[in-house]
Amino acid sequence: MSEESPPARSSGLLRPMTERGREEEHRTATPLELFFDLCFVVAVAQAGRQLVHALAEGHPGHGIPGYLMMFFAIWWAWMNFSWFSSAYDTDDALYRVVTLVQIAGVLILAAGIPRAFDVSDFSLVWFGYLVMRLALVFQWLRAAHASAGAERRTALRYAIGVCLCQVGWLGLLVLPDHAKPWVFVVMAIAEMTVPVVAERGRATAWHPHHIAERYGLFTIIVLGETVAAATTAVQSAADEHEALGTLVPIAAGGLLLIFAAYWIYFAVPIHLHLASNRQAFLWGYGHYVVFCSAAAMGAGIEVAVEQVIGKAHISTFAASATVTVPAALFTFSVWLLHSRHYKRGPAQQLTLPTASVAVLACTFAGSAAVLLAGSVAAATVAVGAVLAARGETGRSERPSRGTHAA
């Protein structure tokens, strides 16, 4: 018997938190989800700003691990909400209020990022996480209350797992500084294990198209923050130093990289690939690299601008690497996660991996590195578009030769 599509949901005070269903038609992101994503921009900007300061001062050993840890905290909080809402968004008054509490937790976390970076004081970050996680646990308990059997057990496993992990994060507050990176690694693994264990008996009813759209929207927001950060850096440098001749190549190359990143990410309909939990988990977890590298591109462009005007105490090679390394990582990770599933033939399959190597090689181009990397990215998009068009033409011609389309 086929499942009926759930009825359209209008706002209300309270309704049972039942699953939405993977076959629900016309499932799109809600205004509340868009608002939730937008508030995350504050946290992403804080992490990027701290990365810029550390790299510009020549302290990558401190800045990069700190950025990776803070971005994991941001990304994982967003992940928790996005997958839960895909399965259980009731859009009633109580759900909205609890989601707004989660947003408050995000803003508290963002306020604590500078202290965590500078003096390894994670107290505000931990408290912001506590606010978010208590709200999330409440949502899972509400889902458990409205369900039974295997679905109820899955919801309870999530609630218990989130609580245990939040206790584990206390290690960031009580252990010495040298142990905190290891605490972060252990707890990050524990966090990512919770969904795997919780959904072992029964998977939640997340919606493939909705999840793909949510990830795409967050990618746009991260790239938008990258554009904003780069624009601010160029503007302030031009106002202070009037060095437009040296800033224009960096601005142009950075803009080409960001435009190419957008084009590459949205070149394929990834929701068709998300057919099981195994595929979805690998894809969803892998986006940590996609989001992290996309945001780092903006930080890198800021560093490159500061190096040109003499505010960054690093070499041209090091400044170029802050742009080319995350750009290459973004290109390769997008290919690895979903583009390769839709590429046909060696030419299409090798386009993005080859481009990532070429972008990385631009690091050695001196002051022209960013502009050259942007040109490579633009050329990659052009090559990919031509190859895709040829592939479509070839497929459309085959039936006219006596064959039949499948």
Side-chain angles (χ1 to χ4, degrees), residues 72-107:
F72 178 87
I74 297 166
W75 165 76
W76 190 248
W78 178 86
M79 283 266 292
N80 285 172
F81 170 78
S82 297
W83 288 83
F84 177 86
S85 66
S86 187
Y88 286 104
D89 180 7
T90 57
D91 198 32
D92 59 11
L94 181 57
Y95 178 85
R96 293 183 179 187
V97 169
V98 175
T99 301
L100 294 176
V101 171
Q102 289 178 283
I103 291 175
V106 172
L107 300 179

Side-chain angles (χ1 to χ4, degrees), residues 62 245 254 314:
H62 168 72
I314 55 177

Side-chain angles (χ1 to χ4, degrees), residues 79 83 158 195-197 199 206 274 276-286:
M79 283 266 292
W83 288 83
Y158 265 111
V196 178
V197 173
E199 304 207 15
W206 48 268
L274 306 180
S276 68
N277 266 17
R278 182 177 180 277
Q279 292 168 321
F281 281 168
L282 290 173
W283 179 83
Y285 286 2

Side-chain angles (χ1 to χ4, degrees), residues 310-367:
K311 293 178 65 175
H313 308 297
I314 55 177
S315 66
T316 301
F317 177 83
S320 300
T322 64
V323 179
T324 57
V325 171
L329 196 57
F330 177 90
T331 303
F332 185 79
S333 59
V334 169
W335 169 80
L336 187 64
L337 284 175
H338 62 207
S339 294
R340 66 186 178 90
H341 301 295
Y342 295 88
K343 302 298 182 182
R344 298 293 178 264
Q348 287 192 13
Q349 284 290 5
L350 290 174
T351 299
L352 291 182
T354 302
S356 63
V357 174
V359 168
L360 200 59
C362 293
T363 310
F364 299 92
S367 58

Side-chain angles (χ1 to χ4, degrees), residues 74-381:
I74 297 166
W75 165 76
W76 190 248
W78 178 86
M79 283 266 292
N80 285 172
F81 170 78
S82 297
W83 288 83
F84 177 86
S85 66
S86 187
Y88 286 104
D89 180 7
T90 57
D91 198 32
D92 59 11
L94 181 57
Y95 178 85
R96 293 183 179 187
V97 169
V98 175
T99 301
L100 294 176
V101 171
Q102 289 178 283
I103 291 175
V106 172
L107 300 179
I108 295 171
L109 181 151
I113 288 176
R115 294 170 65 181
F117 250 94
D118 296 338
V119 294
S120 295
D121 180 1
F122 290 89
S123 55
L124 205 54
V125 170
W126 185 89
F127 181 70
Y129 231 60
L130 176 65
V131 172
M132 286 187 289
R133 309 316 285 284
L134 288 178
L136 181 65
V137 168
F138 176 84
Q139 298 282 47
W140 279 117
L141 291 177
R142 189 181 171 198
H145 177 73
S147 59
E151 181 186 348
R152 176 182 172 84
R153 288 192 292 273
T154 296
L156 289 175
R157 287 194 195 105
Y158 265 111
I160 293 170
V162 171
C163 287
L164 291 176
C165 285
Q166 187 61 33
V167 173
W169 286 115
L170 280 170
L172 292 175
L173 305 183
V174 301
L175 294 177
D177 289 351
H178 70 269
K180 290 179 180 179
W182 295 108
V183 171
F184 220 104
V185 171
V186 171
M187 290 312 305
I189 295 172
E191 288 277 8
M192 291 188 290
T193 303
V194 170
V196 178
V197 173
E199 304 207 15
R200 183 170 295 172
R202 183 187 185 279
T204 54
W206 48 268
H207 195 285
H209 191 280
H210 178 249
I211 283 293
E213 182 187 20
R214 296 287 290 113
Y215 274 71
L217 291 171
F218 198 69
T219 300
I220 290 175
I221 284 178
V222 172
L223 290 175
E225 167 54 28
T226 297
V227 172
T231 301
T232 301
V234 173
Q235 177 187 349
S236 59
D239 291 342
E240 293 180 17
H241 299 270
E242 298 182 356
L244 284 178
T246 55
L247 295 176
V248 167
I250 296 176
L255 201 59
L256 286 173
L257 283 170
I258 295 167
F259 287 172
Y262 160 80
W263 193 295
I264 290 168
Y265 185 89
F266 291 99
V268 297
I270 191 57
H271 67 277
L272 300 175
H273 174 66
L274 306 180
S276 68
N277 266 17
R278 182 177 180 277
Q279 292 168 321
F281 281 168
L282 290 173
W283 179 83
Y285 286 2
H287 266 70
Y288 169 70
V289 180
V290 174
F291 294 152
C292 195
S293 58
M297 275 196 288
I301 294 170
E302 286 192 67
V303 173
V305 169
E306 292 193 5
Q307 194 275 332
V308 165
I309 62 177
K311 293 178 65 175
H313 308 297
I314 55 177
S315 66
T316 301
F317 177 83
S320 300
T322 64
V323 179
T324 57
V325 171
L329 196 57
F330 177 90
T331 303
F332 185 79
S333 59
V334 169
W335 169 80
L336 187 64
L337 284 175
H338 62 207
S339 294
R340 66 186 178 90
H341 301 295
Y342 295 88
K343 302 298 182 182
R344 298 293 178 264
Q348 287 192 13
Q349 284 290 5
L350 290 174
T351 299
L352 291 182
T354 302
S356 63
V357 174
V359 168
L360 200 59
C362 293
T363 310
F364 299 92
S367 58
V370 177
L371 180 59
L372 186 58
S375 301
V376 169
T380 301
V381 169

Side-chain angles (χ1 to χ4, degrees), residues 15-62:
R15 63 168 57 91
M17 184 168 273
T18 55
E19 288 187 319
R20 296 289 298 259
R22 296 193 182 186
E23 304 303 322
E24 183 179 345
E25 296 181 353
H26 311 298
R27 183 73 192 277
T28 58
T30 66
L32 182 60
E33 288 174 322
L34 298 177
F35 183 51
F36 186 87
D37 290 356
L38 187 62
C39 291
F40 267 78
V41 171
V42 179
V44 172
Q46 283 281 22
R49 193 170 298 118
Q50 298 306 313
L51 178 63
V52 170
H53 294 161
L55 294 179
E57 292 298 322
H59 303 303
H62 168 72

